[in-house]
Amino acid sequence: MRAVRVLSAALLTLGLAAAPAAADTSPSPEASGDGGGPTRAGTSFRTATEVEQGQTATARASTGDYLYWSFPADAGQRPTVRATVKLPESHAAQTWQVDVYDGLRRRQACQYGAQTRTAGAGAMSVELACVLRTVRAWSEPWANDPLPGTYYVRLTALKLSADDLGKPVDAELRVESKDMGGATAVDGSLSEPLVPGVASRPQEESDDSPSAVLADLEPEDGWTSGWWSDRWIWTAIGGALAALAGVCGYRLTRGPGRPRHVPPGA
């Protein structure tokens, strides 16, 4: 009996040691994609998954869910949001839509792109796109211009049949921006970019004080909104060319100068 108890204890110990290893090897129900970006999406503005520009975010969800992501955009950038939804093998017609909101949670209109699309019955996927207006460094309080800060993307289905609710879908999101240069620069800038928690950021942060900023992502080169832009370079070049043109015009129009004195009888 003693040998049996020892053998049972040994088997129990081996089972407990093997259980975590088996749990670690089980795949995550939300894992998808190639690992280049986040593999899940949030369900609200507060839980939106952060994604960097140039990354491909993926998520597995159910038809009817609201999927949220967030990304940073700085002044002078024109972001393009592209979303792809891989649909179930059998389904009825579905209408999907992608919406973009700025740091104040104001819905931003798309310049162009298929923001809403309907996938027919049996379609394998649906692709959406939204090209935003150029982000401005500063704007009037009453204007709805896009400003530097965090932007939110919401992807959802608008029209579904009751039989399609809850069916699994795979979603992909990618955000890229084009630098529009100094042609879109304005004379002014925000004191802080519109990111979550910026209003409650403490003035002096100590090592033991928790950070109040909820969004950790920012543009690769940092927030560059300010007075400097390449418009100053073109302004300086224009001023130099104007000065050169003035000197050349003066030399051409002044003539030979005062006539040379000729003595009488010469």
Side-chain angles (χ1 to χ4, degrees), residues 139-193:
S139 177
E140 294 289 347
W142 47 262
N144 195 34
D145 296 323
L147 297 171
T150 300
Y151 282 75
Y152 299 92
V153 180
R154 183 179 69 184
L155 176 64
T156 188
L158 299 180
K159 297 180 181 180
L160 291 171
S161 64
D163 295 336
D164 290 337
L165 285 174
K167 289 187 176 180
V169 293
D170 290 334
E172 292 183 1
L173 179 84
R174 186 175 182 87
V175 181
E176 295 178 336
S177 289
K178 180 179 179 181
D179 190 1
M180 304 305 294
T184 59
V186 294
D187 295 329
S189 63
L190 298 179
S191 59
E192 294 284 353

Side-chain angles (χ1 to χ4, degrees), residues 162-236:
D163 295 336
D164 290 337
L165 285 174
K167 289 187 176 180
V169 293
D170 290 334
E172 292 183 1
L173 179 84
R174 186 175 182 87
V175 181
E176 295 178 336
S177 289
K178 180 179 179 181
D179 190 1
M180 304 305 294
T184 59
V186 294
D187 295 329
S189 63
L190 298 179
S191 59
E192 294 284 353
L194 299 177
V195 298
V198 67
S200 58
R201 180 183 299 173
Q203 297 294 332
E204 296 181 359
E205 295 182 355
S206 59
D207 295 338
D208 56 351
S209 62
S211 176
V213 180
L214 303 180
D216 297 330
L217 291 183
E218 62 180 25
E220 183 178 356
D221 299 330
W223 299 105
T224 58
S225 300
W227 64 273
W228 171 256
S229 68
D230 56 4
R231 184 177 62 173
W232 289 99
I233 300 177
W234 293 106
T235 302

Side-chain angles (χ1 to χ4, degrees), residues 29-86:
E30 296 183 351
S32 61
D34 55 1
T39 58
R40 63 186 63 212
T43 56
S44 65
F45 286 102
R46 294 183 61 86
T47 61
T49 299
E50 295 181 341
V51 56
E52 296 181 1
Q53 293 194 26
Q55 284 186 335
T56 299
T58 58
R60 288 179 181 172
S62 299
T63 307
D65 290 345
Y66 285 84
L67 306 180
Y68 285 83
W69 293 272
S70 65
F71 67 92
D74 202 4
Q77 294 182 342
R78 189 178 66 185
T80 299
V81 178
R82 302 184 186 276
T84 302
V85 183
K86 298 180 181 178

Side-chain angles (χ1 to χ4, degrees), residues 86-89 91-92 118-126:
K86 298 180 181 178
L87 304 174
E89 294 183 359
H91 62 84
T118 299
M124 299 299 296
S125 63
V126 58

Side-chain angles (χ1 to χ4, degrees), residues 68-115:
Y68 285 83
W69 293 272
S70 65
F71 67 92
D74 202 4
Q77 294 182 342
R78 189 178 66 185
T80 299
V81 178
R82 302 184 186 276
T84 302
V85 183
K86 298 180 181 178
L87 304 174
E89 294 183 359
S90 61
H91 62 84
Q94 299 181 4
T95 301
W96 287 78
Q97 179 171 305
V98 60
D99 297 303
V100 183
Y101 301 82
D102 63 6
L104 298 177
R105 299 186 184 179
R106 303 176 302 181
R107 185 176 179 272
Q108 292 294 320
C110 302
Q111 274 191 319
Y112 53 87
Q115 183 181 6

